[in-house]
Amino acid sequence: MDFHAASIIVLFSLIALTCAEPVKFADCGSDVGKVVIVDIQPCPKQPCELHKGQAYAVNVTFNSAVESQTSKAIVHGVIAGVPIPFPIPIEDGCKSGIECPIQKAQSYHYVTQLPVKSEYPSIKLVVEWELRDDTGKDLFCIKFPVQIVS
Ligand SMILES: *[C@@H]1O[C@H](CO)[C@@H](O)[C@H](O)[C@H]1NC(C)=O
């Protein structure tokens, strides 16, 4: 291996170590918005490992296609295909980094905390995260796998 190739490998390993990549998500029906990027910190490798007793910073960047006075977050943990409500401390999107009223064709960062309770089982599941507008339509709906660990 020549010096050039070696330095490229070193560079990429450094990038991998220092910047966590955006979370790979699936869109589950963002009717009136479009998700740009999903970031969870810390999540050095995917699927994100969520340690019991810790809280994770979630940051969803999305564009809104509608106006809305309100926004409400609803989170489910999907276990073996069954969605189970996953309570979050602040459901109000307008208190989670979003300046309301939401304007049409604007970009927003929805920023909140995801606390992982110590009584959760150590399982792999899919997190489904929705943010609903005034009419109950999804400004975004994303899903991504996580692994709960002790
Ligand atoms: C959320 O993510 C966006 C896009 O990556 C970034 O510009 C913004 O600063 C982040 N906000 C917080 C509070 O981390």
Side-chain angles (χ1 to χ4, degrees), residues 22-28 30 33-41 56-64 71 73-75 88 93 96-99 102 106-114 127-132 138-144:
V23 172
K24 294 184 189 78
F25 66 93
D27 194 289
C28 41
S30 306
K34 184 156 186 12
V35 181
V36 180
I37 196 162
V38 178
D39 185 42
I40 296 175
Q41 294 289 348
Y56 291 80
V58 176
N59 179 349
V60 181
T61 302
F62 70 99
N63 295 313
S64 173
S71 60
I74 292 152
V75 184
I88 53 166
S96 313
I98 297 173
E99 197 185 313
I102 290 171
Q106 272 268 356
S107 169
Y108 292 95
H109 305 299
Y110 166 78
V111 178
T112 196
Q113 290 278 321
L114 177 65
V127 173
E128 203 174 277
W129 206 305
E130 293 165 71
L131 188 71
R132 295 190 183 158
D138 282 338
L139 287 158
F140 67 73
C141 178
I142 51 170
K143 53 182 185 181
F144 49 90

Side-chain angles (χ1 to χ4, degrees), residues 42-98:
C43 172
K45 66 167 191 189
Q46 296 193 43
C48 294
E49 281 188 351
L50 304 182
H51 292 261
K52 293 176 197 176
Q54 277 197 33
Y56 291 80
V58 176
N59 179 349
V60 181
T61 302
F62 70 99
N63 295 313
S64 173
V66 291
E67 287 171 15
S68 185
Q69 299 295 322
T70 64
S71 60
K72 186 178 178 216
I74 292 152
V75 184
H76 286 95
V78 185
I79 300 165
V82 182
I84 294 161
F86 203 88
I88 53 166
I90 302 170
E91 284 189 330
D92 190 347
C94 303
K95 294 191 177 117
S96 313
I98 297 173

